[in-house]
mmCIF file of all heavy atoms in Angstrom:
data_model
loop_
_atom_site.group_PDB
_atom_site.id
_atom_site.type_symbol
_atom_site.label_atom_id
_atom_site.label_comp_id
_atom_site.label_asym_id
_atom_site.label_seq_id
_atom_site.Cartn_x
_atom_site.Cartn_y
_atom_site.Cartn_z
ATOM 1 N N LEU A 72 255.115 70.101 226.122
ATOM 2 C CA LEU A 72 256.048 70.382 227.219
ATOM 3 C C LEU A 72 255.568 69.736 228.518
ATOM 4 O O LEU A 72 256.364 69.169 229.276
ATOM 5 C CB LEU A 72 256.194 71.897 227.393
ATOM 6 C CG LEU A 72 257.226 72.385 228.404
ATOM 7 C CD1 LEU A 72 258.640 72.016 227.940
ATOM 8 C CD2 LEU A 72 257.123 73.904 228.586
ATOM 9 N N CYS A 73 254.260 69.805 228.751
ATOM 10 C CA CYS A 73 253.693 69.215 229.972
ATOM 11 C C CYS A 73 253.780 67.685 229.950
ATOM 12 O O CYS A 73 253.807 67.048 231.007
ATOM 13 C CB CYS A 73 252.238 69.646 230.140
ATOM 14 S SG CYS A 73 252.018 71.404 230.527
ATOM 15 N N GLY A 74 253.801 67.116 228.739
ATOM 16 C CA GLY A 74 253.929 65.663 228.635
ATOM 17 C C GLY A 74 255.261 65.159 229.143
ATOM 18 O O GLY A 74 255.367 64.030 229.640
ATOM 19 N N GLY A 75 256.281 66.006 229.032
ATOM 20 C CA GLY A 75 257.601 65.677 229.566
ATOM 21 C C GLY A 75 258.187 64.391 228.998
ATOM 22 O O GLY A 75 258.005 64.054 227.827
ATOM 23 N N SER A 76 258.848 63.643 229.864
ATOM 24 C CA SER A 76 259.531 62.416 229.443
ATOM 25 C C SER A 76 258.564 61.282 229.134
ATOM 26 O O SER A 76 258.948 60.274 228.532
ATOM 27 C CB SER A 76 260.503 61.972 230.532
ATOM 28 O OG SER A 76 259.806 61.731 231.750
ATOM 29 N N ALA A 77 257.289 61.436 229.530
ATOM 30 C CA ALA A 77 256.302 60.381 229.293
ATOM 31 C C ALA A 77 255.996 60.206 227.808
ATOM 32 O O ALA A 77 255.422 59.192 227.406
ATOM 33 C CB ALA A 77 255.012 60.678 230.055
ATOM 34 N N LYS A 78 256.396 61.169 226.994
ATOM 35 C CA LYS A 78 256.137 61.080 225.546
ATOM 36 C C LYS A 78 257.002 60.004 224.896
ATOM 37 O O LYS A 78 256.697 59.547 223.791
ATOM 38 C CB LYS A 78 256.399 62.434 224.873
ATOM 39 C CG LYS A 78 255.518 63.569 225.377
ATOM 40 C CD LYS A 78 255.565 64.767 224.462
ATOM 41 C CE LYS A 78 256.966 65.337 224.286
ATOM 42 N NZ LYS A 78 257.505 65.929 225.515
ATOM 43 N N TYR A 79 258.088 59.636 225.552
ATOM 44 C CA TYR A 79 259.026 58.672 224.957
ATOM 45 C C TYR A 79 259.263 57.492 225.901
ATOM 46 O O TYR A 79 259.161 57.625 227.126
ATOM 47 C CB TYR A 79 260.355 59.354 224.629
ATOM 48 C CG TYR A 79 260.227 60.439 223.580
ATOM 49 C CD1 TYR A 79 259.996 61.758 223.952
ATOM 50 C CD2 TYR A 79 260.326 60.138 222.226
ATOM 51 C CE1 TYR A 79 259.864 62.758 222.991
ATOM 52 C CE2 TYR A 79 260.203 61.123 221.263
ATOM 53 C CZ TYR A 79 259.965 62.427 221.649
ATOM 54 O OH TYR A 79 259.827 63.407 220.692
ATOM 55 N N ILE A 80 259.601 56.362 225.318
ATOM 56 C CA ILE A 80 259.886 55.155 226.112
ATOM 57 C C ILE A 80 261.132 54.464 225.552
ATOM 58 O O ILE A 80 261.573 54.762 224.433
ATOM 59 C CB ILE A 80 258.681 54.179 226.087
ATOM 60 C CG1 ILE A 80 258.194 53.907 224.654
ATOM 61 C CG2 ILE A 80 257.544 54.715 226.919
ATOM 62 C CD1 ILE A 80 258.769 52.747 223.982
ATOM 63 N N GLN A 81 261.697 53.580 226.337
ATOM 64 C CA GLN A 81 262.811 52.763 225.856
ATOM 65 C C GLN A 81 262.235 51.552 225.128
ATOM 66 O O GLN A 81 261.391 50.831 225.675
ATOM 67 C CB GLN A 81 263.690 52.310 227.023
ATOM 68 C CG GLN A 81 264.524 53.439 227.615
ATOM 69 C CD GLN A 81 265.489 52.928 228.667
ATOM 70 O OE1 GLN A 81 265.378 51.792 229.123
ATOM 71 N NE2 GLN A 81 266.442 53.767 229.044
ATOM 72 N N VAL A 82 262.685 51.337 223.912
ATOM 73 C CA VAL A 82 262.139 50.254 223.091
ATOM 74 C C VAL A 82 262.753 48.924 223.524
ATOM 75 O O VAL A 82 263.977 48.741 223.441
ATOM 76 C CB VAL A 82 262.421 50.503 221.590
ATOM 77 C CG1 VAL A 82 261.809 49.389 220.743
ATOM 78 C CG2 VAL A 82 261.882 51.865 221.175
ATOM 79 N N PRO A 83 261.927 47.983 223.978
ATOM 80 C CA PRO A 83 262.474 46.675 224.386
ATOM 81 C C PRO A 83 262.811 45.816 223.162
ATOM 82 O O PRO A 83 262.254 46.001 222.079
ATOM 83 C CB PRO A 83 261.321 46.049 225.184
ATOM 84 C CG PRO A 83 260.085 46.702 224.638
ATOM 85 C CD PRO A 83 260.482 48.089 224.213
ATOM 86 N N ALA A 84 263.723 44.909 223.340
ATOM 87 C CA ALA A 84 264.126 44.026 222.235
ATOM 88 C C ALA A 84 263.104 42.904 222.040
ATOM 89 O O ALA A 84 262.550 42.381 223.013
ATOM 90 C CB ALA A 84 265.498 43.431 222.530
ATOM 91 N N ASP A 85 262.867 42.562 220.786
ATOM 92 C CA ASP A 85 262.000 41.428 220.424
ATOM 93 C C ASP A 85 260.615 41.500 221.074
ATOM 94 O O ASP A 85 260.108 40.519 221.630
ATOM 95 C CB ASP A 85 262.676 40.094 220.808
ATOM 96 C CG ASP A 85 264.016 39.931 220.122
ATOM 97 O OD1 ASP A 85 264.137 40.368 218.968
ATOM 98 O OD2 ASP A 85 264.938 39.380 220.757
ATOM 99 N N THR A 86 260.026 42.672 221.066
ATOM 100 C CA THR A 86 258.683 42.843 221.625
ATOM 101 C C THR A 86 257.846 43.666 220.655
ATOM 102 O O THR A 86 258.288 44.707 220.180
ATOM 103 C CB THR A 86 258.735 43.572 222.993
ATOM 104 O OG1 THR A 86 259.644 42.890 223.845
ATOM 105 C CG2 THR A 86 257.358 43.618 223.630
ATOM 106 N N ARG A 87 256.650 43.214 220.370
ATOM 107 C CA ARG A 87 255.776 43.938 219.456
ATOM 108 C C ARG A 87 254.925 44.946 220.227
ATOM 109 O O ARG A 87 254.701 44.803 221.434
ATOM 110 C CB ARG A 87 254.849 42.967 218.718
ATOM 111 C CG ARG A 87 253.797 42.321 219.615
ATOM 112 C CD ARG A 87 252.732 41.596 218.821
ATOM 113 N NE ARG A 87 251.688 41.043 219.700
ATOM 114 C CZ ARG A 87 250.640 41.743 220.114
ATOM 115 N NH1 ARG A 87 250.481 43.000 219.737
ATOM 116 N NH2 ARG A 87 249.737 41.171 220.912
ATOM 117 N N LYS A 88 254.458 45.937 219.493
ATOM 118 C CA LYS A 88 253.542 46.896 220.094
ATOM 119 C C LYS A 88 252.185 46.236 220.317
ATOM 120 O O LYS A 88 251.725 45.434 219.511
ATOM 121 C CB LYS A 88 253.344 48.112 219.175
ATOM 122 C CG LYS A 88 254.465 49.128 219.216
ATOM 123 C CD LYS A 88 254.084 50.359 218.400
ATOM 124 C CE LYS A 88 255.163 51.430 218.484
ATOM 125 N NZ LYS A 88 254.777 52.652 217.726
ATOM 126 N N MET A 89 251.542 46.601 221.408
ATOM 127 C CA MET A 89 250.186 46.127 221.669
ATOM 128 C C MET A 89 249.225 46.846 220.724
ATOM 129 O O MET A 89 249.507 47.954 220.252
ATOM 130 C CB MET A 89 249.801 46.392 223.129
ATOM 131 C CG MET A 89 250.671 45.643 224.139
ATOM 132 S SD MET A 89 250.336 46.121 225.855
ATOM 133 C CE MET A 89 248.721 45.373 226.106
ATOM 134 N N THR A 90 248.101 46.240 220.444
ATOM 135 C CA THR A 90 247.113 46.865 219.559
ATOM 136 C C THR A 90 246.403 47.996 220.304
ATOM 137 O O THR A 90 246.375 48.008 221.551
ATOM 138 C CB THR A 90 246.065 45.840 219.099
ATOM 139 O OG1 THR A 90 245.298 45.408 220.238
ATOM 140 C CG2 THR A 90 246.724 44.650 218.424
ATOM 141 N N PRO A 91 245.810 48.958 219.567
ATOM 142 C CA PRO A 91 245.051 50.017 220.227
ATOM 143 C C PRO A 91 243.952 49.471 221.137
ATOM 144 O O PRO A 91 243.713 50.019 222.223
ATOM 145 C CB PRO A 91 244.460 50.803 219.058
ATOM 146 C CG PRO A 91 245.423 50.597 217.939
ATOM 147 C CD PRO A 91 245.905 49.183 218.117
ATOM 148 N N GLU A 92 243.277 48.388 220.711
ATOM 149 C CA GLU A 92 242.225 47.795 221.546
ATOM 150 C C GLU A 92 242.801 47.300 222.881
ATOM 151 O O GLU A 92 242.202 47.517 223.948
ATOM 152 C CB GLU A 92 241.561 46.625 220.806
ATOM 153 C CG GLU A 92 240.623 47.039 219.678
ATOM 154 C CD GLU A 92 241.330 47.247 218.351
ATOM 155 O OE1 GLU A 92 242.586 47.222 218.316
ATOM 156 O OE2 GLU A 92 240.650 47.455 217.341
ATOM 157 N N GLU A 93 243.957 46.645 222.806
ATOM 158 C CA GLU A 93 244.597 46.131 224.030
ATOM 159 C C GLU A 93 245.051 47.266 224.938
ATOM 160 O O GLU A 93 244.886 47.207 226.165
ATOM 161 C CB GLU A 93 245.802 45.249 223.651
ATOM 162 C CG GLU A 93 245.422 43.942 222.979
ATOM 163 C CD GLU A 93 246.625 43.197 222.429
ATOM 164 O OE1 GLU A 93 247.654 43.848 222.124
ATOM 165 O OE2 GLU A 93 246.545 41.964 222.286
ATOM 166 N N LEU A 94 245.592 48.303 224.332
ATOM 167 C CA LEU A 94 246.074 49.454 225.111
ATOM 168 C C LEU A 94 244.926 50.205 225.761
ATOM 169 O O LEU A 94 245.027 50.631 226.921
ATOM 170 C CB LEU A 94 246.887 50.388 224.208
ATOM 171 C CG LEU A 94 248.251 49.849 223.773
ATOM 172 C CD1 LEU A 94 248.809 50.658 222.604
ATOM 173 C CD2 LEU A 94 249.230 49.869 224.941
ATOM 174 N N LEU A 95 243.812 50.362 225.056
ATOM 175 C CA LEU A 95 242.639 51.033 225.634
ATOM 176 C C LEU A 95 242.048 50.209 226.777
ATOM 177 O O LEU A 95 241.595 50.772 227.789
ATOM 178 C CB LEU A 95 241.589 51.284 224.554
ATOM 179 C CG LEU A 95 241.952 52.370 223.528
ATOM 180 C CD1 LEU A 95 240.969 52.366 222.357
ATOM 181 C CD2 LEU A 95 241.983 53.752 224.180
ATOM 182 N N ALA A 96 242.068 48.883 226.622
ATOM 183 C CA ALA A 96 241.592 48.010 227.711
ATOM 184 C C ALA A 96 242.480 48.170 228.944
ATOM 185 O O ALA A 96 241.989 48.242 230.082
ATOM 186 C CB ALA A 96 241.573 46.558 227.243
#
Side-chain angles (χ1 to χ4, degrees):
L72 186 66
C73 291
S76 59
K78 299 194 301 293
Y79 296 91
I80 51 92
Q81 288 186 347
V82 182
D85 301 324
T86 307
R87 69 168 183 86
K88 281 187 177 182
M89 297 173 71
T90 66
E92 286 87 352
E93 291 171 335
L94 289 165
L95 289 170

